[in-house]
Amino acid sequence: MPLPSLRRCAPLALSLCTLSVSFAAAAQEWKPGTPGVWGLGIGAGVERLPYTGIDNNKRLLPLLTYDSEYFRLSGLTADWKFARTEQFTFALRGKYALADGYKADDAPILYGMDERKAGFWVGGAATWNADFAKLSLEVLGDVSGNSKGTQARLGIERSFTAGRFVFTPRASLLWADKKYVNYYYGVTGAEATASRAAYDGKSTVNFQAGLRTAYVLDAHQSVFLDLSATALGKEIKDSPLVDKKTVPAVAIGYLYRF
């Protein structure tokens, strides 16, 4: 059975699909005084998509991570860590949002729409490993010239250990500016039809919550399950292309750390 197009996107996917984000988060982070840490694995994921009548996005992906003192790679996201302390890390981040965008034949509601392409995003990211939780912030701009938009994510997560299990609940606020929303969810006058009104998108904020559960098999191997749901902002829900309020996703995977 052929896999669905990877160009079908989850809402406000800041970089990668849920699967690669979950995999990267499950990987071992670099510790001062140690060499770089490689991770290799495979995973499968399913996302419900916001567009009316579009199929769920199903994926089976090989995934690669690397983390060292100055460089971090997780899937299609790369960080140059230009400043760090015991608790804080500041990085220049680049991402290719492979899953963003759609083609007109992806769903009936999109027939007659111009193709929306994935973007390459560049900006800054910061992480604070506080005693009570891990806080993160990223602000990125689309330098590919497709949406020409700006996105930001503010997140919090904390891990709890129970035997060989590691539970990591998380929550994020996901902001996208008018250009991003209008590009991926807007309808131009030339694209409007009797059943699809013209729509000029505006900036919005989505809320995402999730739980990642990892089971440690041994010093090098682990498996994980990630469940999440994204509540769409009003400006996305109001789009004539969208018929959902919440978008769930699930991912499972295996990771080997070298």
Side-chain angles (χ1 to χ4, degrees):
M1 180 182 296
L3 294 177
S5 170
L6 284 174
R7 296 186 62 82
R8 297 179 179 182
C9 69
L12 216 63
L14 291 176
S15 57
L16 303 170
C17 58
T18 300
L19 180 58
S20 56
V21 173
S22 301
F23 179 90
Q28 180 179 338
E29 294 185 351
W30 177 83
K31 304 297 182 184
T34 64
V37 179
W38 288 94
L40 182 64
I42 190 168
V46 179
E47 289 172 310
R48 187 184 182 193
L49 302 180
Y51 298 106
T52 302
I54 200 169
D55 293 334
N56 289 340
N57 191 5
K58 306 179 184 70
R59 302 177 297 279
L60 179 66
L61 296 176
L63 296 163
L64 174 69
T65 67
Y66 176 72
D67 199 8
S68 65
E69 182 175 5
Y70 295 108
F71 184 75
R72 177 177 171 85
L73 173 68
S74 11
L76 299 178
T77 300
D79 287 349
W80 171 52
K81 296 180 278 189
F82 60 85
R84 61 179 300 136
T85 66
E86 186 175 343
Q87 288 188 311
F88 294 93
T89 301
F90 300 92
L92 176 65
R93 175 165 294 174
K95 292 183 178 182
Y96 180 63
L98 175 67
D100 273 1
Y102 58 77
K103 294 182 178 179
D105 60 357
D106 282 345
I109 191 65
L110 303 175
Y111 292 168
M113 298 285 294
D114 291 335
E115 179 183 0
R116 301 309 200 256
K117 297 180 179 180
F120 183 74
W121 299 81
V122 173
T127 301
W128 177 24
N129 289 302
D131 293 336
F132 60 91
K134 179 179 180 179
L135 302 173
S136 59
L137 171 68
E138 69 173 13
V139 180
L140 306 175
D142 181 6
V143 298
S144 65
N146 293 328
S147 72
K148 302 179 181 178
T150 302
Q151 301 183 24
R153 180 180 65 87
L154 177 64
I156 183 171
E157 65 177 53
R158 181 171 181 177
S159 295
F160 303 89
T161 302
R164 294 194 173 192
F165 286 95
V166 181
F167 301 97
T168 308
R170 68 183 187 278
S172 298
L173 292 175
L174 311 172
W175 174 83
D177 73 348
K178 173 184 173 68
K179 292 180 180 179
Y180 179 94
V181 176
N182 195 42
Y183 183 73
Y184 290 109
Y185 299 99
V187 179
T188 67
E191 295 170 329
T193 66
S195 59
R196 184 176 62 213
Y199 183 70
D200 187 22
K202 296 179 175 59
S203 63
T204 195
V205 176
N206 292 358
F207 174 75
Q208 185 183 81
L211 174 65
R212 182 173 58 257
T213 302
Y215 181 76
V216 180
L217 299 172
D218 56 36
H220 297 281
Q221 302 180 87
S222 62
V223 293
F224 70 87
L225 169 67
D226 190 289
L227 304 173
S228 67
T230 301
L232 302 176
K234 180 179 184 299
E235 289 72 16
I236 292 179
K237 290 187 294 185
D238 286 348
S239 168
L241 306 178
V242 172
D243 68 345
K244 301 174 183 67
K245 297 181 180 180
T246 303
V247 179
V250 58
I252 58 174
Y254 164 82
L255 172 65
Y256 185 89
R257 291 186 292 267
F258 297 91

